[in-house]
Amino acid sequence: MEPDAIDPKFLIHQTSHMYITEPIFFQAVQLDKSVFIWAGKQEANLKNLSIAMPSLINQIPPSTTVLGQDVSEQSRNLARRLAAKYGLQFFVSLNIGNQDEMLVAFTEKKITEFIKGIFG
């Protein structure tokens, strides 16, 4: 007798996009009711991590930064917006620096498109 097919516990999605002359890499790990998103440059480090989860009593999902000092709150704000839109817990790590506002906007746009492609 053949064993029944088992759904994977998590799915890994990856992509990259060029920003001017530099590649920006994206990875989403889809878990059960949560998603881990990493975006960064060639160095592939994890310098910050923010978490947001949907709330049953508040329209604005609670969020916090658990790793690093996200002074500009880019990761936290993105995690909050994604949690509100998709009703899932989001872990977000943006490792692109925060000096270039155009790069930040480009990265957020590509992440939004990336996640939309995963969840429809």
Side-chain angles (χ1 to χ4, degrees):
M1 175 166 37
E2 249 180 75
D4 293 333
I6 298 174
D7 290 333
K9 299 289 182 194
F10 58 88
L11 300 171
I12 298 173
H13 309 272
Q14 296 178 328
T15 190
S16 64
H17 295 278
M18 291 297 289
Y19 175 74
I20 304 175
T21 60
E22 185 173 28
I24 306 297
F25 301 95
F26 303 87
Q27 183 176 55
V29 180
Q30 185 180 351
L31 307 156
D32 182 42
K33 300 181 186 172
S34 65
V35 180
F36 176 91
I37 298 171
W38 178 88
K41 298 180 180 180
Q42 188 68 36
E43 299 85 43
N45 53 36
L46 186 68
K47 290 188 176 180
N48 71 63
L49 179 64
S50 296
I51 301 171
M53 59 185 62
S55 172
L56 298 175
I57 56 175
N58 202 347
Q59 282 188 328
I60 300 172
S63 62
T64 189
T65 299
V66 295
L67 180 64
Q69 295 178 347
D70 189 9
V71 176
S72 63
E73 298 184 352
Q74 297 160 344
S75 297
R76 195 165 87 185
N77 290 336
L78 181 58
R80 185 181 292 142
R81 288 193 307 270
L82 291 170
K85 182 171 183 171
Y86 293 101
L88 299 170
Q89 182 177 24
F90 274 85
F91 299 81
V92 176
S93 180
L94 298 179
N95 297 279
I96 55 171
N98 56 7
Q99 297 81 13
D100 185 350
E101 290 182 22
M102 294 299 290
L103 173 58
V104 172
F106 171 84
T107 303
E108 287 189 7
K109 179 182 177 190
K110 293 301 180 184
I111 287 174
T112 303
E113 292 171 359
F114 186 39
I115 296 302
K116 188 176 181 181
I118 294 170
F119 292 108

